[in-house]
Structures are given as C-alpha cells and as structure tokens.
Amino acid sequence: MSTVTPLAERPSVRKTNENWVRAKRMKALYLMMLVPMILLFTFHYVPMYGIMVAFKKFSPGLGIWNSPWNHFEHFKGLFHDFLFTRALRNTLIISILKLAISFPAPIVLAVLLNEIKNGMFKRVTQSISYLPHFMSWVILASMVGEVLSPQRGVVNYVIQLFGGQPINFLSDTHFFIPVLVLTDVWKEIGWGAIIYLAAISSINTDMYEAADVDGATRFKKMIHITVPSLVPMIVIMFILSLGNILNAGFDQILNLYNPMVYGVADIIDTYVYRRGIEQFQLDYATAVGLFKNVVGVALILSANAIIRRRSEHGIW
Amino acid sequence: MNKQRFSLFDVLNVFLLSVLSIAILYPFWQTVILSFSDPSSASSLGVHLWPEKWIPDAYRFVFSYQDIAAAYFNTILRTVIGTVIIVCTTLLVAYPLSKKDLPYRNYFTIFFLIAMFFSGGMIPEYLLIKNLGLLDNRLALILPGAVNVFSIIIMRNYLMTIEKGLEESALMDGAGYFTILTKIIVPLSKPVIATVALWAAVGHWNAWFDAMIYIRDPSKTVLQMVVRQMMVDMDLSQTQFGGGGMTNANLLLSNVRAATVMISIGPIILIYPFAQKYFIKGIMIGSLKG
C-alpha cells in the first residue's frame, strides 16, 4: 500500500485512455449522430424547458424566462377545477371500458382466425381486419359520422325499420361512450390480433397431437391449449395497456366529439388542447398536461419494470 | 386418414368472421358510394350498396378546387421529404448505436431513449414552434418528427444481428464508416429500411394535428385538415368549401367530403397489398425483440 501506482497505469484511467483512443478512431460514427442529436435536442429536449411555464404566470410578451413565477398555484387549482376533475374521471372511465372490451377483442379474433383451415379465407379476413388501423381518425370519424348519421346512416335506417326513433349517436351522452369503444374495436381489432396470432403459431404442436390421441375435440383444444398458451402474452399486453390508462384516445375523441357530449367525452388531452390552444391559457394548460405526463410516465415505467421482472424482455 | 368434415363450429366461425369483415368494410364502401352518388339519393335514408348512377361530379369539384389541390400537394410533399429524413436519421443513429465496441455508447443510447418516454407536452412544443418562427411554415410539419426513436431501436436491433465479416474486411481495406454504411449496411438492411420508410410514410400521410395547430394559411395545410374542416363546418353556407362553387356544382358537402376522403385513403389502399408484410414485420421486430 506504500507504493503509489502511476496515474496512467491505474485500471480506471487506463480504461478511459483506451476509450479515448478508440473514440478518436471511431469519430466518424459520432459525427453521424450529430445532426439527428441536434434535431432531437431542439424539438424534444428544448420543449422540456418550456414546462417551466406551468410554474409561471405566463405572458407571451415577456416570454418563458421573464414571466413571473406562480409556483404551484396552477397545480393547487387543479382539483378545484370542475372541468379538470371531470376530464380525469372521463379519461379513466373511457380507458377502463376500452380495457374491458377493446382489449380482449383481438384475442378472440386471433383464436377464431387460428381455427380457420382455409388459408385464402384466413388471409383475406386478416387483411381486411387491420385495414382501418392505417387510416387516421379524421378519415374514420368522417366515415363513422356517415354510418351513424340520423338522416342517412345505415344504423338509423335499421332502427327505423324496427319502428324506433332515429338516434343522434354522436350528440347523445348515453350513446357517445359506446360509440367510442366500438369504433376503437373497429380500428384496432385486426392489428391487435397480429401479435396473438404470432404467439399462437409458436405453440408447440406436440400438445395438439397429444390431445388428438386423447380424443379432444377442436373446441376443447382451443379452450385448453390455445388460450392458456396465450396467457403470458395477454399479461404483457395488459400491463402495457394499464401503463397507458391516461391515454383514452385523443385523436379519436377530438374528431368525434362536440360540445353536447363534453360532459362524458372530454378527456385530459382534449381539455389541455382546448384550454391551451383554443383559449390560449398556456400556463394552466401546461400544468394540466404536466400532471398527466408525470403520472403517465410513472405508470408506463412501472409497467415496463413489472414486465421485465416477469419475463426478461421489456420494450427495448 | 383424417376426413375433412365441417363441424357446426366451423360454420359458425366462418359466419362470424364474415360478418366482422363486412362490418369493417361497410363504412369504406359507403364512402365510395357517397362519393359517386348524386345528392338526392345520397341524402336519403337507407342501405346504399350501389349508386343509381355513377356520377364523378364530386371528384371533378375536388380536383378543381384550389385549396384541396394545394392540400393534396402539401400532403405528398411532407410525406416524401419527411420519410426520406426519417430514414436517414434512423440509419445515421442506429448504425453507430449497433456497434458494441463504440465507447460511451450507453450514454448516447440513453439520450435517445429518454425522448421516447419524456416530452414537453402539447403546449411547450407549440411555444417552441412559435418562438422559432415556424408557425405557418411547412418545416413545422417535418422537423419535430425528424428523429423517430422507435424506428432507431428497430433498426439498431436488426443491425446488431447482421454478419460483421464483410464490414470488418472493408475496415481493414481502409474504408471509412460512411462508406461502409452506404455501401454495405444499407444494401443488407433493405427489408428493415422498407419497414421504417413505410411506417414513416403512413404516419406523415395521416398526420393532421400538427397542421391543425401550426398552420393557419389554407395554402399550406394538408389534406387531412381539409377533411376535418368539412366535418366541423357542417353548415354549407359557412364553410370555406361551400359558397359559390358548391352550389354551382350542385353537390352536397357530404359528397365532396366522401370524394376527399377517397383521394386521401386511395394511395394507402393501393400500396396496402404490397406493403402489408412490411407493416407486420415492423410490429413483430418492435414488440418481440428483447
């Protein structure tokens, strides 16, 4: 212990030196990343500085830095703001209903598709099923509006055939949420099924053969082999969805809702949009958005941590 | 020999899936019909499976209306340029990050990963664009999404699996990293590049929210916003797409909107049969790779 190792020979320093030498040799690789890093920094990290607005009394004339501090006043106001608590409640209700209905739908579709023996029929059905996934909610909302239209929509036509009164689905607080959930199923059922179909195709065929020997019916094999084999994947997807519970579907709702259904349809994201961009209360809207982002990130990170612990493979 | 028999379950299953397919397709078909119908039959209640007469008036109107033509052009422009940029940034970042011996690689990876989870949010992003003077500038539709971290991860994971031999011998011969990237890596990763490019293209083609908050000038907006505007302004007389031109063409706003929707989804439907496998490849690599 009495002898002092020369600085350059200490392991940690030697490692650093080696790294530097190697880094110099590979400097072209760092250079490659330069422009993308500047872009990402400007358009992703700089707005994080703008979050400061949530703690200020923001006036556009003074700018972000010079506007006076308002500390936590906006956040203290959150839970006294009826419109915010309503948006929070709506967000949770819509998300939970989607978890209950849009989440299992692709699993059912995948299991049913797997039972189809005709390859052509299976392929065509599958291709059709994920077509809406590639359309924006602007386009889909326009189609939904036509199908549900009280004047010429097919749904109201059927209702009237059976002697009912036409329903204005998109302006009725009782029907708006079911419309949200069903159109969500329409858009995502096929896309969601892909991952379960892949999981099904990796099930060991020995199990089915063993079941055949035991005289199991097709239906029994489906219930006792296919579905249980999907459980690990279902659990992963479910935890991921839980992590996204504060995202109730901004694009969908912004394109389908109208003031008549704000009471049930206004979610946190749409509230931030209206408060911030339409009414220009930038500081308060940023505070609402920040609240949602902080809770949302915490949820997503915990979801990831849980999945990692369970199954060794997280999202990245 | 197993006899091929159809059980009740099979019949029910095929029936169920057929109903689902029809339900999924019906709204699309109705849009087709509506875009070709004459206004009186289009506005009547009922199931329209075939128009009484195929009338292309709505399309004639859409293509002659200057703001729609401009919006279509803007959509194509942002899709082409935006996609090229995303593919470039993806390759430029994924290639270095795929090298296990790159010093300080982890710090760079973290720099990109953080962006996937944290963001400033809607309002701070709006303020940034405003402060940069990019409001009403088409760059506001391209630059904020120029780096796609998800694509980078997919590409990096793929690059880590490809054979290193060719690359190492090129290095020995004194080739630079840029040469290796363009001459060796790019040709080897064509399928993943196609996946990333298709995703980027569909994303740009369908994007509307950025145009909604950053663009006011109707000559700079995108097609999606035109459709949205037609949906919001249900009252014909008030819409910028109504007025004189509309009454002359003797069309309903819903006819015109259906035609606009058709020209908007047309390109996606056209590439759909060829592009499908790449889309699916994307979700599989992205979600299953550890």
Side-chain angles (χ1 to χ4, degrees):
Chain A
M1 279 297 160
S2 57
T3 52
V4 179
T5 329
L7 200 64
E9 280 168 33
R10 283 187 202 161
S12 64
V13 175
R14 212 165 45 225
K15 182 95 169 57
T16 315
N17 281 341
E18 273 170 26
N19 271 344
W20 269 113
V21 171
R22 213 143 30 94
K24 255 188 215 157
R25 195 161 42 78
M26 300 172 106
K27 63 177 181 290
L29 291 173
Y30 298 105
L31 217 60
M32 278 181 199
M33 294 193 282
L34 188 64
V35 173
M37 283 179 73
I38 291 171
L39 281 169
L40 194 70
F41 182 80
T42 312
F43 291 99
H44 222 96
Y45 283 86
V46 174
M48 291 183 195
Y49 157 81
I51 288 176
M52 210 164 36
V53 167
F55 305 94
K56 294 214 163 195
K57 231 182 177 56
F58 181 64
S59 82
L62 291 174
I64 297 174
W65 185 255
N66 290 323
S67 291
W69 288 102
N70 195 23
H71 306 290
F72 286 91
E73 291 308 313
H74 292 308
F75 294 93
K76 282 181 195 155
L78 276 185
F79 286 91
H80 299 292
D81 174 9
F82 161 70
L83 292 175
F84 170 74
T85 48
R86 183 183 79 178
L88 181 61
R89 195 195 60 211
N90 289 342
T91 304
L92 291 175
I93 291 175
I94 294 170
S95 279
I96 289 168
L97 283 172
K98 282 184 176 175
L99 268 181
I101 295 164
S102 323
F103 179 80
I107 303 169
V108 176
L109 176 63
V111 171
L112 290 183
L113 270 174
N114 181 53
E115 297 297 327
I116 296 287
K117 294 290 166 280
N118 183 328
M120 184 73 180
F121 181 82
K122 188 175 169 180
R123 264 199 311 280
V124 171
T125 310
Q126 214 196 336
S127 297
I128 290 172
S129 71
Y130 49 68
L131 181 66
H133 175 81
F134 295 99
M135 311 294 160
S136 75
W137 269 115
V138 171
I139 298 295
L140 296 181
S142 147
M143 292 182 185
V144 170
E146 285 299 330
V147 171
L148 297 180
S149 154
Q151 286 88 37
R152 51 179 182 275
V154 64
V155 177
N156 274 307
Y157 173 70
V158 173
I159 289 175
Q160 275 168 295
L161 267 189
F162 289 97
Q165 288 297 311
I167 297 165
N168 200 345
F169 288 95
L170 295 177
S171 303
D172 190 313
T173 49
H174 293 107
F175 289 102
F176 191 79
I177 303 280
V179 167
L180 282 185
V181 175
L182 284 180
T183 55
D184 184 49
V185 172
W186 172 47
K187 185 173 196 273
E188 302 297 348
I189 186 171
W191 189 250
I194 292 174
I195 203 154
Y196 295 109
L197 278 166
I200 290 174
S201 71
S202 67
I203 297 174
N204 192 343
T205 48
D206 291 354
M207 287 200 278
Y208 291 105
E209 279 157 23
D212 281 336
V213 173
D214 293 341
T217 62
R218 286 262 305 284
F219 192 73
K220 279 214 161 122
K221 281 187 278 183
M222 190 175 96
I223 296 298
H224 295 293
I225 301 176
T226 313
V227 176
S229 309
L230 282 179
V231 167
M233 183 57 84
I234 293 173
V235 171
I236 290 177
M237 299 308 280
F238 189 75
I239 296 170
L240 279 180
S241 311
L242 278 182
N244 271 311
I245 202 155
L246 288 184
N247 296 318
F250 175 68
D251 284 25
Q252 180 192 25
I253 294 172
L254 198 66
N255 282 299
L256 283 173
Y257 81 164
N258 62 68
M260 273 183 279
V261 290
Y262 280 177
V264 295
D266 195 22
I267 56 170
I268 298 177
D269 292 324
T270 51
Y271 183 54
V272 170
Y273 166 72
R274 283 205 320 282
R275 247 352 236 273
I277 306 283
E278 283 184 2
Q279 297 164 17
F280 227 67
Q281 289 170 308
L282 296 170
D283 42 11
Y284 184 71
T286 307
V288 177
L290 180 60
F291 171 84
K292 189 219 144 184
N293 281 352
V294 168
V295 179
V297 167
L299 284 172
I300 289 173
L301 289 179
S302 353
N304 254 304
I306 296 170
I307 292 172
R308 282 202 154 207
R309 196 171 300 168
R310 279 186 59 95
S311 63
E312 302 296 305
H313 59 153
I315 313 201
W316 68 85
Chain B
M1 274 290 278
N2 242 347
K3 249 197 288 172
Q4 274 284 328
R5 276 203 316 123
F6 289 104
S7 65
L8 180 67
F9 172 77
D10 286 309
V11 176
L12 261 175
N13 194 10
V14 168
F15 175 76
L16 218 73
L17 289 175
S18 306
V19 169
L20 180 79
S21 299
I22 292 168
I24 287 174
L25 281 184
Y26 181 79
F28 288 86
W29 184 242
Q30 203 196 18
T31 310
V32 176
I33 300 302
L34 194 59
S35 71
F36 282 107
S37 293
D38 75 284
S40 58
S41 76
S43 59
S44 66
L45 193 67
V47 186
H48 302 287
L49 289 179
W50 204 255
E52 289 165 22
K53 220 162 50 174
W54 293 83
I55 298 173
D57 286 4
Y59 290 93
R60 219 170 273 149
F61 176 83
V62 162
F63 282 115
S64 65
Y65 202 91
Q66 209 182 344
D67 279 354
I68 300 180
Y72 207 20
F73 173 75
N74 290 333
T75 297
I76 294 170
L77 191 71
R78 77 171 288 177
T79 302
V80 172
I81 297 177
T83 304
V84 169
I85 290 182
I86 289 178
V87 169
C88 289
T89 57
T90 302
L91 280 165
L92 287 174
V93 177
Y95 176 53
L97 290 187
S98 74
K99 296 213 153 303
K100 288 203 181 75
D101 58 341
L102 182 77
Y104 314 111
R105 181 178 77 136
N106 284 347
Y107 298 107
F108 288 90
T109 309
I110 289 167
F111 175 80
F112 286 96
L113 272 184
I114 286 175
M116 216 163 72
F117 291 96
F118 301 93
S119 73
M122 189 193 300
I123 309 295
E125 278 163 23
Y126 170 81
L127 280 175
L128 172 73
I129 297 293
K130 190 164 170 271
N131 292 339
L132 288 175
L134 288 178
L135 287 184
D136 257 338
N137 188 327
R138 292 185 187 86
L139 284 176
L141 308 179
I142 292 173
L143 292 181
V147 180
N148 185 320
V149 179
F150 192 68
S151 297
I152 289 172
I153 295 170
I154 288 177
M155 182 68 81
R156 185 206 64 164
N157 286 350
Y158 175 78
L159 292 182
M160 284 169 90
T161 64
I162 63 176
E163 187 56 50
K164 292 282 179 288
L166 206 55
E167 195 186 335
E168 269 156 24
S169 62
L171 268 177
M172 296 285 210
D173 292 346
Y177 286 108
F178 272 102
T179 319
I180 293 172
L181 177 62
T182 50
K183 295 272 160 61
I184 297 174
I185 303 295
V186 169
L188 278 177
S189 42
K190 272 185 191 145
V192 190
I193 292 176
T195 302
V196 167
L198 279 168
W199 271 116
V202 171
H204 267 292
W205 188 266
N206 282 335
W208 53 277
F209 188 67
D210 46 6
M212 181 160 121
I213 62 177
Y214 300 146
I215 307 285
R216 289 275 166 272
D217 183 349
S219 70
K220 288 175 183 163
T221 198
V222 296
L223 197 59
Q224 299 274 336
M225 275 313 292
V226 174
V227 174
R228 193 182 140 80
Q229 208 54 48
M230 289 178 181
M231 212 155 51
V232 176
D233 308 330
M234 281 309 268
D235 186 359
L236 258 178
S237 55
Q238 281 175 13
T239 161
Q240 52 169 319
F241 302 104
M246 197 72 78
T247 42
N248 287 343
N250 195 22
L251 288 164
L252 283 174
L253 184 59
S254 54
N255 290 128
V256 177
R257 193 176 68 203
T260 315
V261 167
M262 286 309 297
I263 64 166
S264 170
I265 64 176
I268 294 187
I269 298 201
L270 281 182
I271 64 158
Y272 191 64
F274 316 101
Q276 264 190 72
K277 61 171 181 178
Y278 292 110
F279 286 131
I280 292 183
K281 197 172 284 168
I283 188 183
M284 297 318 295
I285 304 173
S287 53
L288 291 181
K289 268 260 167 65

